[in-house]
Amino acid sequence: MIYVSRKEHFNAAHKLYNPAWTPEKNVEVFGPCANENWHGHNFDLIVTIKGKPDPLTGFVVDLKKLSNLIRQEVIDKLDHKNLNLDVEFMKGKLASCETLVVEIWKILAAHLPSVTGYGQLHSIRLYETPRNYVEYFGE
C-alpha cells in the first residue's frame, strides 16, 4: 500500500462559541478562542490518499489533479473567510478543527473518484497552529 499526501494552506477566522451557554461559560471553556471579535489561524491541510499505483502512470493519484480538487472544493471556500459566518458547509456547526476536518472529509470523499480510480481517502490532517493539529481517518 502506497500513501501519497498533498499539503495545502489557507487562512481563516473563527470563534469557538456554544450558543446554548452563557458568555461566561463560553469563556470558561474556550478561553480566548471565544473572543466575540473572532480570531484567526494560518491553517495547513494535509490530505493523504492510499492505494496501489495505476500501472499506466505509476501514480496512486495525480498530485496536480488532487491539488486542484482540494483547492476548488475546500480551500477556495475557506481561505480568508470567517468559518462561523462565511462557509456554507459550516453553517450551524461549532467551528472547531474537529468539526471542520470531518466536513472536509465529506467533501473530498465525494469528489475523489473524479481524480483517481486507484486511490482512496486515508486521512486528513489539519494544523491550526504549528503545534496543534487534528487528524481524521473517516471513522
Side-chain angles (χ1 to χ4, degrees):
M1 189 65 59
I2 306 287
Y3 296 82
V4 180
S5 298
R6 175 68 188 186
K7 182 178 180 180
E8 300 287 350
H9 180 83
F10 65 95
N11 302 302
H14 70 147
K15 172 173 62 173
L16 296 178
Y17 191 86
N18 184 330
W21 295 345
T22 65
E24 295 78 20
K25 175 73 172 180
N26 276 285
V27 170
E28 176 187 329
V29 173
F30 300 121
C33 295
N35 181 337
E36 68 179 68
N37 293 315
W38 320 98
H39 68 283
H41 295 283
N42 299 311
F43 290 93
D44 283 320
L45 176 67
I46 301 172
V47 176
T48 301
I49 308 301
K50 70 177 180 181
K52 300 201 184 226
D54 178 334
L56 299 177
T57 65
F59 297 162
V60 172
V61 62
D62 180 323
L63 285 171
K64 183 64 175 167
K65 289 180 181 178
L66 179 61
S67 177
N68 288 339
L69 172 67
I70 297 167
R71 288 204 148 280
Q72 290 170 2
E73 299 299 331
V74 177
I75 302 301
D76 290 349
K77 295 174 182 174
L78 297 174
D79 194 31
H80 289 87
K81 301 286 193 308
N82 182 311
L83 301 178
N84 301 78
L85 301 176
D86 302 329
V87 179
E88 192 61 39
F89 64 82
M90 291 297 290
K91 297 276 181 178
K93 300 176 177 92
L94 187 63
S96 68
C97 284
E98 291 87 341
T99 302
L100 183 56
V101 78
V102 170
E103 295 305 312
I104 292 170
W105 178 282
K106 291 175 189 175
I107 292 165
L108 293 179
H111 290 90
L112 191 63
S114 70
V115 298
T116 181
Y118 288 85
Q120 64 186 38
L121 198 50
H122 173 69
S123 68
I124 297 176
R125 182 179 286 192
L126 180 65
Y127 281 85
E128 184 178 54
T129 72
R131 294 186 304 259
N132 298 333
Y133 69 88
V134 174
E135 193 163 20
Y136 185 60
F137 295 90
E139 302 164 355

